Amino acid sequence: MLYFPSRNTAAHVPALVDVTRLRQLLDNDVWAFSNCRVDAVGSPVAEVDWLFYNAAKGTFILCEWKRYPSPVAQVADTGAPWILKNGASVPNPLEQVARQLEAVRRVLRGSVRDTFFPDVGLLALNPFQCVYSPQVDATTLHERLRFGKVFGTLDDLALTVATRPCPAPLVVPDDARLPLAEMLADLFRCTVSQGVRRKLGGVAPLTEVNADQRMRDIHLEIAALHTELAGLLHAPARRRGLPVLVLPIPAEPVAKRATEVKKASAVGAGMPKTAVKQGTQATEARVTTHQRMKQHVERFLPVPDPKQGTKVGALKSAWLAALTDAELHQGEGVSAALFGSLVRPHFGGGNSFKKLLGTSLPAWCLAQAHEAGLKASMHPRIPGQIRLAKPPRAS
């Protein structure tokens, strides 16, 4: 899946775990524009959660995401509210997505049709509408819907996005994909990353590239590949007896190490040899754990970056690198608290982790481990400590 996040800094940011799951389920023929702001002439400004475009099938799909405090008991067609199992009634999201659809249609039938689909009739540019809510399950009663569909899992949503055909496929040649993506991103107030541009066949001239930003993007893309590889190694590959992934840690400079040893010797002068040895080992263990964790953090979060969405992806890569580092387990797991203290300076502006990630940092760290296919759990006695069912072996 090619992801186009909103460029509106005030927009709601989708949960990273949901974006990651969609990327796993959908290939690069599917483009996903999140938290769009649609400003169509003749229609009120609409806020759209997700607009999907399947470039292979030529289909646009508009999707409203809803989360409720209780499971959904009954899904009704337009004209009636939805009923939750706690007895509450909530506004019908199918009516909301129908209002958004009018604005989206106006945009697609304007400059997008004139530029890329001039031979397609106006009625053919009519996106499929749907609603996703994880509170909809097998026990939910569904009234027959006249238009659209309701999904309770991302797997079902992704299957429809990937396979739903269009009576008049809105497909463009490969060399027109990047211009179409840029126009859609502009109209729906989303961004086009360098990685997406490259996958669509467009590489900006070096004279127009911000070298520092591009190097950061490359590091993040490499980190994403490491994350995917970790999931492959720790899930089905484990049954084939493949080795556990342990990301390499740069060796400490010899001069720095020699200085630390010299200082330790000076401090221990005059003390019994046993005490000196035990004190030195304890200090080195603390320093090593802190330094190794810091190396993971600084590798993926090198400098402050105003794009918080980009940094959340780097945060996940740094955490998974630390979690798969055998030297950080110390028999009790990896400390999410230590990880949090080291990454906090990279998230300025008063943003709390709960506001940014939608949950506490330890809970988020555990969720990322599960998302990567790792069997992880919270330590029963040490808060903020996360253990793996089968810790990686030191290389």
Side-chain angles (χ1 to χ4, degrees), residues 43-77:
S43 297
V45 175
E47 303 288 342
V48 175
D49 286 344
W50 289 87
L51 177 67
F52 297 98
Y53 171 62
N54 189 325
K57 300 287 186 180
T59 307
F60 283 95
I61 295 178
L62 178 65
C63 187
E64 175 71 14
W65 287 32
K66 288 294 183 184
R67 296 183 185 274
Y68 299 107
S70 173
V72 178
Q74 183 174 352
V75 168
D77 199 2

Side-chain angles (χ1 to χ4, degrees), residues 87-112:
S89 61
V90 295
N92 192 323
L94 290 169
E95 296 176 349
Q96 182 179 351
V97 76
R99 291 191 295 269
Q100 298 168 354
L101 180 63
E102 181 58 31
V104 173
R105 276 193 299 219
R106 285 178 179 269
V107 170
L108 295 180
R109 291 173 179 177
S111 56
V112 174

Side-chain angles (χ1 to χ4, degrees), residues 10-158:
H12 173 73
V13 178
L16 180 61
V17 65
D18 291 335
V19 177
T20 302
R21 182 59 181 156
L22 286 174
R23 279 177 163 156
Q24 293 172 345
L25 294 170
L26 298 168
D27 61 26
N28 287 342
D29 281 331
V30 175
W31 307 352
F33 302 83
S34 75
N35 306 106
C36 310
R37 182 178 173 87
V38 186
D39 205 355
V41 178
S43 297
V45 175
E47 303 288 342
V48 175
D49 286 344
W50 289 87
L51 177 67
F52 297 98
Y53 171 62
N54 189 325
K57 300 287 186 180
T59 307
F60 283 95
I61 295 178
L62 178 65
C63 187
E64 175 71 14
W65 287 32
K66 288 294 183 184
R67 296 183 185 274
Y68 299 107
S70 173
V72 178
Q74 183 174 352
V75 168
D77 199 2
T78 56
W82 284 14
I83 307 299
L84 306 184
K85 289 189 176 179
N86 63 5
S89 61
V90 295
N92 192 323
L94 290 169
E95 296 176 349
Q96 182 179 351
V97 76
R99 291 191 295 269
Q100 298 168 354
L101 180 63
E102 181 58 31
V104 173
R105 276 193 299 219
R106 285 178 179 269
V107 170
L108 295 180
R109 291 173 179 177
S111 56
V112 174
R113 173 180 176 271
D114 294 342
T115 305
F116 295 99
F117 313 110
D119 299 328
V120 176
L122 289 177
L123 295 180
L125 278 90
N126 189 32
F128 179 72
Q129 54 187 318
C130 61
V131 172
Y132 162 69
S133 173
Q135 283 72 47
V136 172
D137 56 30
T139 64
T140 303
L141 297 178
H142 288 256
E143 180 182 333
R144 184 173 180 178
L145 305 180
R146 289 173 296 172
F147 304 104
K149 198 169 182 180
V150 175
F151 301 101
T153 68
L154 288 179
D155 295 61
D156 291 339
L157 170 61

Side-chain angles (χ1 to χ4, degrees), residues 269-281:
M271 296 176 60
K273 290 184 178 181
T274 302
V276 172
K277 183 177 180 180
Q278 292 175 346
T280 303
Q281 287 177 342

Side-chain angles (χ1 to χ4, degrees), residues 180-297:
L180 174 59
E182 290 176 332
M183 176 176 283
L184 292 174
D186 183 59
L187 291 171
F188 294 107
R189 311 279 184 87
C190 293
T191 60
V192 186
S193 69
Q194 287 293 332
V196 168
R197 290 181 190 278
R198 189 177 64 258
K199 290 173 183 176
L200 290 174
V203 180
L206 290 177
T207 55
E208 299 179 8
V209 172
N210 181 322
D212 291 337
Q213 180 62 49
R214 182 62 190 134
M215 285 189 286
R216 287 198 292 271
D217 290 342
I218 290 172
H219 280 297
L220 291 176
E221 289 164 20
I222 293 173
L225 291 174
H226 276 296
T227 300
E228 183 178 353
L229 181 60
L232 294 172
L233 290 175
H234 286 288
R238 172 174 284 166
R239 293 193 293 270
R240 301 197 302 269
L242 294 180
V244 176
L245 173 66
V246 179
L247 297 178
I249 301 295
E252 292 183 359
V254 175
K256 179 180 178 182
R257 183 64 179 158
T259 302
E260 291 178 353
V261 172
K262 186 175 181 180
K263 287 182 178 179
S265 300
V267 171
M271 296 176 60
K273 290 184 178 181
T274 302
V276 172
K277 183 177 180 180
Q278 292 175 346
T280 303
Q281 287 177 342
T283 301
E284 287 180 354
R286 287 196 301 271
V287 171
T288 300
T289 300
H290 184 277
Q291 286 181 339
R292 291 181 76 87
M293 182 74 81
K294 188 175 181 181
Q295 286 170 347
H296 290 299
V297 170

